[in-house]
Amino acid sequence: MSPRVLPASRPVTIRRAVARDAKRLTRLVRGSGAYEGEYASMVAGYRVGPDYIETHRVFVAVDADDADEQGGRVLGFYSLVLAPPELDLLFVADEAQGLGIGRLLVAHLRAEARTAGLDRVEVVSHPPAEGFYRSVGAVRIGTVPANPPAVPWDRPEFEFRVPPE
């Protein structure tokens, strides 16, 4: 895929994740500043394994100027599950927050969903991410109630509508 340019003029490439990305994606999830404090338990033991990457449509945003033997520094990633249509994961590296990476990933997600013939994609949001999802066009459709002890708080549920081209 051709590089895209961020508002900060940093070229970014979004590519399909491969099995060797698994450890880096796992580190990004576990190290996310968005999951500190009361939310830390949600990601403490989380693992993005090679099997997950092979099963789902996982895409990685990489810094095209910072290429390495693994294909570039990971700035963020998302995972699209087709059945039922769901944005399962979307993470942006802490150091890349505010650079438009999340918006690029959501735009890519919509294009992938359209290509797959989907007309909508649901996402159960991390509560602090609600503002982000609203800002990129997701529509709130409900609330997923807390399920203690695993998830002790209610979570907003959104839908991305994917109109045909």
Side-chain angles (χ1 to χ4, degrees):
M1 175 170 243
S2 62
R4 298 179 186 219
V5 178
L6 291 175
S9 298
R10 294 175 58 179
V12 172
T13 299
I14 298 177
R15 62 168 173 79
R16 188 80 185 250
V18 294
R20 73 173 184 262
D21 291 319
K23 287 182 182 177
R24 295 192 305 168
L25 301 185
T26 296
R27 279 193 304 270
L28 195 156
V29 169
R30 290 183 183 175
S32 174
Y35 284 86
E36 292 177 341
E38 69 177 304
Y39 301 110
S41 64
M42 286 297 296
V43 297
Y46 200 89
R47 177 178 171 268
V48 180
D51 53 334
Y52 182 89
I53 290 170
E54 291 170 8
T55 302
H56 302 295
R57 293 182 183 207
V58 181
F59 292 88
V60 181
V62 295
D63 186 334
D65 281 346
D66 191 21
D68 60 19
E69 68 281 350
Q70 295 182 10
R73 183 170 59 100
V74 173
L75 301 172
F77 77 99
Y78 78 88
S79 171
L80 173 62
V81 175
L82 296 180
E86 177 185 9
L87 171 60
D88 187 33
L89 301 169
L90 184 133
F91 281 84
V92 174
D94 289 350
E95 67 274 9
Q97 295 283 325
L99 298 177
I101 303 296
R103 288 184 181 283
L104 283 175
L105 289 170
V106 168
H108 192 274
L109 161 76
R110 283 191 156 131
E112 280 297 310
R114 187 176 297 109
T115 298
L118 304 176
D119 64 353
R120 62 193 65 233
V121 175
E122 290 189 11
V123 58
V124 177
S125 175
H126 173 52
E130 182 170 355
F132 167 75
Y133 284 113
R134 287 182 187 274
S135 77
V136 293
V139 176
R140 182 142 184 190
I141 58 170
T143 300
V144 176
N147 184 18
V151 183
W153 53 84
D154 292 347
R155 294 172 293 157
E157 185 175 21
F158 290 93
E159 178 177 88
F160 285 107
R161 296 184 179 137
V162 183
E165 286 188 270

